[in-house]
Amino acid sequence: MTTVLKLGGSVITDKDRAETVDGESLERAAAAIADAVSDSTETDGGLVVVHGGGSFGHPAADAHGVTTTAGTDDAGAVTEIHAAMTALNGFVRRALLERGVEALPVYPLSLAARNREGDLALPTESVETMLEEGFVPVVQGDMVTHAGRGATVVSGDELVAELARGLDADRVGLCSTVPGVLDDERVVDRIDSLADVESVLGGSESTDVTGGMRGKVETLLGLETPASIFGLEGLEGFLAGEDVGTTVG
Amino acid sequence: MTTVLKLGGSVITDKDRAETVDGESLERAAAAIADAVSDSTETDGGLVVVHGGGSFGHPAADAHGVTTTAGTDDAGAVTEIHAAMTALNGFVRRALLERGVEALPVYPLSLAARNREGDLALPTESVETMLEEGFVPVVQGDMVTHAGRGATVVSGDELVAELARGLDADRVGLCSTVPGVLDDERVVDRIDSLADVESVLGGSESTDVTGGMRGKVETLLGLETPASIFGLEGLEGFLAGEDVGTTVG
């Protein structure tokens, strides 16, 4: 049972203060992961943690005008955005290491690249060997080099999708700031197609640079792997194999 | 013309003081690289810089008893050794960035892995795209996960060999603390086989954990790519396409 878990950038950082971790939420997420890994019935095929940018990656990316499609040739700018994400990656890994989770960093800038069409090549040898050896890879949203455009942003959501495919994962979970996809205040249990929830998700105006809820649902619908969207209160249940939040696809 | 250049750890660090850069040598190397990149006749197919550990990686690796074959399952230990190398990588990139070289980091821990036989898988998509986009990848000696052994050391020399193969490089250069392979005080111009220089290189007692001069020559003899071993004073000439130091293979 290989699980790919994304911790949303908004969940583990304070989105209103630049480069500030939401310590309480990060501790809570790390504790749930540590419990699941030490119990290991649900995660014995390995757990990959992916995290977004929150108040670390986004301000730096905005300052340099880079997105998933608008690139830069300036290595100083790439380095600055990458370093902001690496700092957050360090906080996530430290919280996990302190709880006995053998977390190792994975930086997509070193690993992945986009071709001219923007498709991501993400070789999985390193992550697979980490999993086989009992480590927990912690993969960050990052910059990647992009044929013809210098370097562009790669979002946590995109990494989740590529890793789920590349590792043939059994489960995908997106831990978000909301308890699932919401219809008014009620969590939608299950989404099988985008048409089902068009009215709930709204149009493209609700997407941000690295994909809002609509983008997440679209990405997850494109996967073979069953996926869930849930809030921090659902993380423990998800890692225990329960259906939590909204199940997609 | 794709060139893989290794800056020896002993060249750019003060081997006698833990985690100390040899600022003068690093500046000199960075200046030579910046000149070559801005001139670009010899490096227009791209330049990959690889660096060893020197006083950064080796003490941390020794403290945890890890080598290229003796591994660890302790993510804290892996992280500590990796972080020491990453710090040196930052110094190298900063020296290059300050001179207008668009240097980006490449961390083998994120990218590569060893199988049970110890063979290194090093996917090249990221480095190739960096080169195509005009960046200069700066690859560090590092830790990599190793099937059955947790994580082990990967040396700069091994990375040079794998990159030369994977990128089908045209030239390889090892910038060392000596002006080439020495026979007494004379630089040996050319080595075609290990037997030629058995008396000069001595036996296995002259090798260190990540390969002394004997290991370097053996590695370079195994490559299709022409290679040179030279000192810092030869770097400018090497990058200008000249034969400097000892030519191997």
Side-chain angles (χ1 to χ4, degrees):
Chain A
M1 182 72 99
T2 303
T3 304
V4 177
L5 169 68
K6 166 147 181 243
L7 299 176
S10 308
V11 177
I12 56 172
T13 73
D14 180 343
K15 267 225 159 173
D16 297 329
R17 289 195 295 171
E19 306 208 0
T20 307
V21 165
D22 181 335
E24 203 176 312
S25 297
L26 178 56
E27 301 287 298
R28 195 170 157 192
I33 292 168
D35 281 352
V37 168
S38 68
D39 184 26
S40 95
T41 45
E42 283 299 322
T43 60
D44 58 3
L47 173 66
V48 180
V49 175
V50 178
H51 67 82
S55 64
F56 284 76
H58 292 290
D62 291 348
H64 293 287
V66 303
T67 67
T68 55
T69 53
T72 178
D73 294 322
D74 176 356
V78 177
T79 302
E80 198 180 310
I81 302 162
H82 175 68
M85 291 304 303
T86 298
L88 179 55
N89 190 277
F91 283 113
V92 174
R93 285 183 291 114
R94 202 163 313 135
L96 292 170
L97 279 172
E98 280 171 0
R99 286 168 179 78
V101 178
E102 303 290 342
L104 289 181
V106 175
Y107 304 126
L109 179 60
S110 291
L111 176 62
R114 291 190 196 280
N115 65 14
R116 291 195 174 263
E117 287 69 47
D119 299 329
L120 194 69
L122 186 85
T124 53
E125 288 92 333
S126 56
V127 172
E128 280 173 19
T129 308
M130 286 182 189
L131 293 176
E132 283 163 21
E133 293 301 300
F135 295 111
V136 173
V138 179
V139 186
Q140 66 191 28
D142 204 347
M143 297 294 288
V144 285
T145 47
H146 188 143
R149 302 190 186 189
T152 53
V153 171
V154 62
S155 74
D157 291 348
E158 193 178 355
L159 292 165
V160 165
E162 282 305 313
L163 286 164
R165 281 193 202 99
L167 300 171
D168 196 15
D170 301 288
R171 294 180 84 211
V172 163
L174 298 194
C175 182
S176 170
T177 48
V178 287
V181 176
L182 297 176
D183 184 358
D184 276 329
E185 289 178 15
R186 197 184 60 82
V187 173
V188 177
D189 275 347
R190 188 169 180 85
I191 299 176
D192 291 304
S193 79
L194 207 56
D196 292 355
V197 285
E198 202 69 54
S199 62
V200 172
L201 292 173
S204 55
E205 77 278 3
S206 61
T207 62
D208 68 29
V209 59
T210 56
M213 189 58 89
R214 188 194 170 84
K216 289 184 206 304
V217 171
E218 274 192 271
T219 301
L220 297 180
L221 282 169
L223 294 181
E224 305 261 318
T225 314
S228 305
I229 300 173
F230 49 85
L232 200 45
E233 71 292 339
L235 178 55
E236 213 169 324
F238 171 78
L239 290 171
E242 296 165 17
D243 281 335
V244 294
T246 301
T247 304
V248 180
Chain B
M1 182 72 99
T2 302
T3 304
V4 177
L5 169 68
K6 168 153 180 238
L7 299 177
S10 308
V11 177
I12 56 172
T13 73
D14 180 343
K15 266 223 158 174
D16 298 328
R17 290 195 298 170
E19 307 209 359
T20 306
V21 166
D22 181 335
E24 203 176 311
S25 297
L26 178 56
E27 302 288 299
R28 195 170 157 192
I33 292 169
D35 281 351
V37 168
S38 68
D39 182 26
S40 96
T41 46
E42 283 298 323
T43 60
D44 59 4
L47 173 68
V48 180
V49 175
V50 178
H51 66 82
S55 63
F56 284 75
H58 292 291
D62 290 348
H64 292 289
V66 301
T67 66
T68 54
T69 54
T72 178
D73 294 322
D74 177 355
V78 177
T79 302
E80 199 180 309
I81 302 161
H82 175 67
M85 290 305 303
T86 299
L88 179 55
N89 190 277
F91 283 113
V92 174
R93 285 183 291 115
R94 202 162 312 134
L96 292 170
L97 279 172
E98 280 171 1
R99 286 167 178 78
V101 178
E102 303 290 341
L104 288 181
V106 175
Y107 304 126
L109 179 61
S110 291
L111 176 62
R114 291 191 196 279
N115 65 14
R116 289 192 177 267
E117 287 69 47
D119 298 328
L120 194 69
L122 186 85
T124 52
E125 288 92 334
S126 56
V127 172
E128 280 173 18
T129 309
M130 286 181 188
L131 293 176
E132 283 163 21
E133 292 301 301
F135 297 110
V136 173
V138 179
V139 186
Q140 66 191 30
D142 204 348
M143 297 293 289
V144 285
T145 47
H146 188 142
R149 301 189 187 190
T152 53
V153 171
V154 61
S155 73
D157 290 348
E158 192 178 354
L159 292 165
V160 164
E162 282 305 310
L163 286 164
R165 280 193 202 99
L167 299 171
D168 195 16
D170 301 288
R171 294 179 85 211
V172 163
L174 298 194
C175 181
S176 170
T177 47
V178 286
V181 176
L182 297 176
D183 185 357
D184 276 328
E185 290 178 14
R186 199 183 59 83
V187 173
V188 178
D189 274 346
R190 189 168 179 86
I191 299 177
D192 291 304
S193 80
L194 207 56
D196 292 356
V197 283
E198 202 70 55
S199 63
V200 173
L201 292 172
S204 56
E205 77 277 3
S206 63
T207 63
D208 68 29
V209 58
T210 56
M213 190 57 88
R214 188 194 170 85
K216 288 184 207 304
V217 171
E218 273 193 271
T219 301
L220 297 181
L221 281 169
L223 295 180
E224 306 262 317
T225 313
S228 305
I229 300 174
F230 49 86
L232 200 45
E233 72 291 337
L235 178 55
E236 214 168 325
F238 171 77
L239 290 171
E242 296 165 17
D243 281 335
V244 294
T246 301
T247 303
V248 180

